[in-house]
Amino acid sequence: MSGEVPGAAYTLRYRGDTDDDVRLLSETLVAELLASQLWLDATAESGRRVTSGVGSASNAR
């Protein structure tokens, strides 16, 4: 991320992606989305119920 790759089939750009702060945050986006999906899949397979509010009392056991 952080720029265009020659030969890439697609290029996804963010408004302001030339700004270091925006670039820093967008570089982690794909990894975070993938981790979220993997976590949701694993949780569904184990039969546990997923609730919103990570770290909140609604998730306490």
Side-chain angles (χ1 to χ4, degrees):
M1 297 194 173
S2 307
E4 297 183 18
V5 176
Y10 299 98
T11 300
L12 176 63
R13 301 293 305 253
Y14 292 90
R15 181 178 304 161
D17 65 1
T18 56
D19 181 295
D20 286 341
D21 291 334
V22 173
R23 189 170 34 238
L24 175 68
L25 293 172
S26 64
E27 286 178 352
T28 62
L29 178 63
V30 172
E32 290 176 2
L33 291 173
L34 178 59
S36 174
Q37 187 60 55
L38 291 171
W39 181 77
L40 289 172
D41 291 348
T43 304
E45 288 176 9
S46 70
R48 293 191 327 229
R49 183 167 177 252
V50 178
T51 58
S52 62
V54 173
S56 69
S58 64
N59 286 334
R61 291 190 149 223

